Amino acid sequence: MINRLFAFVCWLIVTTHAANAQTKIPYGNNPQTGHYYNVGDAKIYYEIYGKGKPVVLLHGGLFGYIDEYEFLIPKLAQTHQVIAIGTRGHAKSEIGTKALSYTQLADDAYQVIRSLTKDSVIVVGFSDGGITGYNLTAKHPELVRKLIAIGSPRRSADRALSMQEEGKMTAERLDKMAPDFVKSRKQLMPEPARWNELLDKLDGLWNQPTFITDAAIQQLPCPVLLMAGDKDPYFKTEKLLETYRLLQTGRLSLIPNCGHVVLYCNFPAVWEAISPFINESIKPTKQ
């Protein structure tokens, strides 16, 4: 029987390729809007779209990249400046020499953002990007005025699918599972020979016992929109509710009949939840 992770990967790749065929903008590999910022040990790639108050996009891990926001970017860019950051080691961003941790990824994002604006920002993070968003907001509360975390659990043990159940994502396994994805990702990487090293670093990242502490979640001062699919195997509804109840100022969005990748499963529903949250000027309260 095909395991659940394999099914997820295949579905993600098929939908991504189908969506990319419909757009002319090469999100994640756009020489017209792409830039690099050196955070010390690595050059982090980012793209900028639109004008206005800044919204920062942080994508998911391994299979995720800037292009997963291809439906969201043009919507946001009509009214905001969109800063889409590539996670270190993913596609055009360098891996660097430091170990991968969510606090390190948050520091990368902070440096990129502060190189571009002194303003506070809205952060949208999917999966690993949402966890990075938690950490960024906790460490720099003056920076983040609103946070949207999509499919982003607080700890590894909260995931319905554990790494023990699914097994380590080795290069050999991924080559068999998604050869086209591996080929396309290596073509974008500045150091494709370090692909295996990236997978090892990601394994360490995902197996941290705690991604963000409950105390840190409770102390987040800004409004937070938590979102997940009602069939998300990585962030079950009961864990979504637990996280929501910890927030000082939270809003909850459950996308029906969707798994982890709600951005592709039902983007209209995602946008209907995100748009009013981003644009409202009155501080939201729990509903």
Side-chain angles (χ1 to χ4, degrees):
M1 186 174 72
I2 300 176
N3 70 33
R4 290 169 290 183
L5 180 57
F6 179 77
F8 161 66
V9 173
C10 290
W11 181 85
L12 175 58
I13 293 170
V14 168
T15 54
T16 301
H17 286 174
N20 282 339
Q22 299 174 17
T23 181
K24 296 179 180 179
I25 300 175
Y27 293 116
N29 187 27
N30 190 345
Q32 294 183 357
T33 62
H35 308 272
Y36 286 93
Y37 183 76
N38 193 328
V39 297
D41 70 316
K43 293 179 181 177
I44 303 300
Y45 179 79
Y46 65 92
E47 294 179 354
I48 297 180
Y49 298 91
K51 294 181 179 180
K53 288 286 188 178
V55 177
V56 174
L57 304 183
L58 304 175
H59 63 75
L62 183 57
F63 302 106
Y65 188 47
I66 291 170
D67 57 351
E68 74 191 11
Y69 286 116
E70 61 189 333
F71 298 145
L72 186 58
I73 290 173
K75 288 279 193 180
L76 292 175
Q78 293 176 20
T79 53
H80 292 78
Q81 180 190 60
V82 180
I83 304 169
I85 301 175
T87 300
R88 66 164 59 211
H90 289 64
K92 295 177 77 70
S93 287
E94 293 180 349
I95 298 175
T97 58
K98 298 176 181 177
L100 284 186
S101 69
Y102 291 109
T103 54
Q104 179 59 55
L105 299 184
D107 185 64
D108 291 344
Y110 177 79
Q111 290 194 58
V112 171
I113 295 165
R114 275 295 175 247
S115 75
L116 297 171
T117 180
K118 295 180 179 179
D119 200 355
S120 60
V121 303
I122 297 171
V123 173
V124 182
F126 169 66
S127 196
D128 275 10
I131 301 169
T132 299
Y134 293 148
N135 284 274
L136 178 64
T137 307
K139 190 172 182 181
H140 301 284
E142 79 291 346
L143 174 68
V144 183
R145 69 176 182 272
K146 291 181 183 180
L147 170 64
I148 300 170
I150 307 171
S152 306
R154 308 191 311 278
R155 57 180 68 89
S156 57
D158 286 347
R159 295 174 300 178
L161 300 180
S162 68
M163 300 307 291
Q164 289 75 25
E165 288 175 321
E166 295 298 336
K168 182 178 179 180
M169 185 57 71
T170 63
E172 293 76 17
R173 185 182 178 200
L174 194 53
D175 280 339
K176 293 180 181 178
M177 186 182 297
D180 291 340
F181 164 77
V182 174
K183 180 180 178 180
S184 63
R185 185 55 60 86
K186 286 183 176 180
Q187 287 175 344
L188 292 178
M189 291 179 70
E191 301 172 283
R194 299 181 69 184
W195 175 250
N196 290 24
E197 180 185 349
L198 171 64
L199 296 181
D200 288 339
K201 286 177 177 286
L202 284 170
D203 186 64
L205 177 73
W206 295 331
N207 281 290
Q208 296 177 75
T210 301
F211 301 150
I212 184 76
T213 66
D214 287 2
I217 291 287
Q218 289 174 318
Q219 293 168 16
L220 295 180
C222 70
V224 179
L225 170 61
L226 286 180
M227 180 184 294
D230 64 349
K231 303 182 188 309
D232 190 334
Y234 297 97
F235 197 22
K236 299 289 283 185
T237 300
E238 58 266 27
K239 296 301 179 181
L240 176 74
L241 290 171
E242 285 180 12
T243 306
Y244 168 71
R245 294 186 182 110
L246 293 173
L247 295 168
Q248 292 185 39
T249 308
R251 182 163 295 179
L252 189 64
S253 177
L254 194 63
I255 307 300
N257 301 312
C258 284
H260 190 54
V261 194
V262 296
L263 291 163
Y264 283 109
C265 174
N266 191 345
F267 178 75
V270 171
W271 178 245
E272 284 300 311
I274 287 178
S275 179
F277 180 78
I278 284 179
N279 292 307
E280 65 188 2
S281 57
I282 300 174
K283 187 175 182 180
T285 56
K286 284 191 174 183
Q287 296 182 349

